[in-house]
Amino acid sequence: MPGRYGRAGAAALGVVAVLALLPGCGRADPGDRSVQGLLDRRAAAVLDRDERGFLADVDPSAGRLRARQREVLRNLADVPFSSWEYQLTGTGGFEPAPGEGRRLAVRVRLSYRLGGHDAGPATADQRLTLAERGGRWYIAAEHPAGDGPEPLWEQGRVATVRGGRSLVLGVGQDRRRLRDIARAADRAVPAVDAAWRGPWARRVVVLVPRSPAEMAELLGDPPGSYRGIAAVTTGRTGGTPGSGPADRVIVNPDAYGILGEAGQDVVLTHETTHVATRAHTSPATPLWLSEGFADWAGYRGTERPAARIAPGLAGEAAAGRTPEALPDDEDFAFTGDAGRLARAYEAGWLACRMIAEEWGEETLVSFYRAVGEAGPDRSRALESALRERLGLGPDAFTARWRAYVTERLG
């Protein structure tokens, strides 16, 4: 989900990139069993770090592809996978190929887990072209990702650092920096646990790409999308705590790197809060609540005055321009005005801080859960949670929040 320090991107990363559907894809084919066997052998080779086995099913005549496949396998050598599986999800029609054999377009779903961290799998849909050689199928081509996400190991050799409650994977980063991030992530986990007070995995996976542009590639977005954004969190909302798809915190090495230790702690606590609250966040949850709660958890226990945490709103309040309403989801768009974006996060943070101060931290947590679990109708879910947990209707809550902003910042 969007965050003051990031937004959700694609939840799963794969080895082979995505291609527009090839002609004829989706028709059943009698060779499915042999193709699945090929995929099973490759999956076993990844887990065994067996380069010869991994390349055995790559077209011997595709020299460039074989070199790239060898490079990718070596890039992920240090990544602690506990599972790696391919499922054949569709096949296309046969196409004549130059020389012997035929060509076949296939659709594949990759599922993998990181040992000790992923309760649920990361998944990715993939497209391959197979070529028949001597009555046997070989992988002849992998296809460009287009606008889809790119896996970290496609960007270079992955270095791995294991923290007490964290796993940090980086490309183009020295291990000292990755260890520092792991220590910050380890501090974030108990901070989030103290704020959220509910079941969650109590561990976090952090990806550190080489640059902001490569961060955008990991999320399937254009270069420059995350300039100035210190981190984002990926994942899918809803589900049973601890059993949903894998979450990832992705760090922008430039924006994160210019922060001091306190700022880095706030960033990773904010993003780890999204991991913890994921199962209780739904389309009914407004961004002012999900992002405000994450900021509240991030700043909880700090001694910074409100005006330093919310300078944008402080300036507006000092000029007599207290906002009329809580921010809409559109106010959190990264592509919009930077000042508007900052004020949206500040407004959400102040709303959650107000609830925690005036009704108690436990009520804030129960309010968050109540909104996310009340059903798909956002206005009804929000009004129901406000009345049941806080004893206020939407208009009265907004008026109370406006008065709080004036009192704290005016």
Side-chain angles (χ1 to χ4, degrees):
M1 71 192 62
R4 185 172 195 169
Y5 305 99
R7 86 172 170 81
L13 305 175
V15 167
V16 183
V18 177
L19 168 77
L21 204 61
L22 294 177
C25 275
R27 295 197 294 274
D29 173 72
D32 286 0
R33 185 174 300 177
S34 62
V35 172
Q36 185 62 57
L38 179 156
L39 298 172
D40 292 344
R41 290 192 298 273
R42 283 176 63 78
V46 170
L47 293 176
D48 293 340
R49 305 303 197 263
D50 178 4
E51 183 176 301
R52 179 177 296 180
F54 189 67
L55 297 177
D57 292 299
V58 179
D59 189 344
S61 67
R64 185 173 299 178
L65 176 62
R66 291 177 66 84
R68 178 58 182 159
Q69 293 283 291
R70 182 181 293 109
E71 178 184 10
V72 169
L73 187 65
R74 292 176 179 178
N75 286 348
L76 53 78
D78 197 33
V79 182
F81 297 111
S82 61
S83 68
W84 182 289
E85 300 175 353
Y86 296 107
Q87 178 187 1
L88 180 64
T89 59
T91 59
F94 291 116
E95 300 175 3
E100 63 171 315
R102 300 164 292 176
R103 300 179 80 84
L104 178 67
V106 299
R107 290 178 292 167
V108 174
R109 177 157 296 164
L110 166 67
S111 300
Y112 68 88
R113 303 186 191 207
L114 299 175
H117 289 271
D118 290 341
T123 62
D125 290 326
Q126 306 176 354
R127 304 287 187 265
L128 301 173
T129 296
L130 306 184
E132 190 179 41
R133 301 281 186 262
R136 174 180 171 181
W137 289 113
Y138 291 90
I139 297 173
E142 60 177 10
H143 302 287
D147 294 330
E150 181 178 77
L152 185 64
W153 44 84
E154 290 282 356
Q155 298 181 348
R157 182 68 67 94
V158 178
T160 300
V161 170
R162 296 165 178 81
R165 286 288 185 176
S166 62
L167 179 69
V168 181
L169 308 177
V171 169
Q173 308 291 336
D174 64 60
R175 288 189 177 272
R176 176 181 295 180
R177 186 175 199 188
L178 298 181
R179 285 193 292 268
D180 287 344
I181 292 173
R183 283 191 286 269
D186 284 348
R187 291 192 296 270
V189 169
V192 170
D193 205 35
W196 179 237
R197 305 173 189 180
W200 67 290
R202 295 180 175 84
R203 53 186 180 266
V204 62
V205 176
V206 183
L207 309 184
V208 191
R210 183 180 286 106
S211 68
E214 288 175 305
M215 176 186 184
E217 290 177 354
L218 289 180
L219 294 163
D221 290 322
S225 299
Y226 299 95
R227 187 176 296 113
I229 303 301
V232 306
T233 305
T234 72
R236 193 178 307 159
T237 57
T240 302
S243 65
D247 291 276
R248 303 287 185 259
V249 173
I250 304 178
V251 167
N252 177 340
D254 292 358
Y256 180 89
I258 65 175
L259 299 173
E261 182 176 301
Q264 292 174 351
D265 282 350
V266 170
V267 165
L268 287 182
T269 302
H270 175 111
E271 300 303 335
T272 303
T273 300
H274 286 315
V275 175
T277 60
R278 181 77 64 202
H280 298 275
T281 306
S282 75
T285 309
L287 288 181
W288 69 258
L289 178 57
S290 61
E291 298 307 330
F293 186 90
D295 262 3
W296 172 76
Y299 287 109
R300 180 177 176 270
T302 67
E303 297 181 355
R304 297 188 205 183
R308 283 190 60 195
I309 296 174
L313 276 186
E316 294 292 295
R321 295 190 296 267
T322 302
E324 294 294 324
L326 285 156
D328 294 326
D329 284 5
E330 293 75 16
D331 295 322
F332 292 86
F334 284 177
T335 56
D337 176 76
R340 177 186 178 189
L341 176 63
R343 292 191 296 273
Y345 282 104
E346 293 166 5
W349 168 69
L350 282 166
C352 290
R353 175 175 163 170
M354 178 187 74
I355 295 171
E357 286 185 357
E358 299 189 7
W359 282 271
E361 293 186 356
E362 291 185 2
T363 298
L364 171 60
V365 172
S366 68
F367 172 71
Y368 189 103
R369 290 176 177 160
V371 173
E373 297 169 1
D377 187 320
R378 175 176 292 189
S379 60
R380 182 177 298 178
L382 187 58
E383 180 171 358
S384 174
L386 283 170
R387 294 190 185 281
E388 290 179 5
R389 308 293 172 169
L390 308 185
L392 296 176
D395 291 343
F397 177 76
T398 299
R400 186 87 159 251
W401 169 76
R402 294 184 73 245
Y404 183 86
V405 171
T406 301
E407 177 186 347
R408 292 294 187 271
L409 302 179

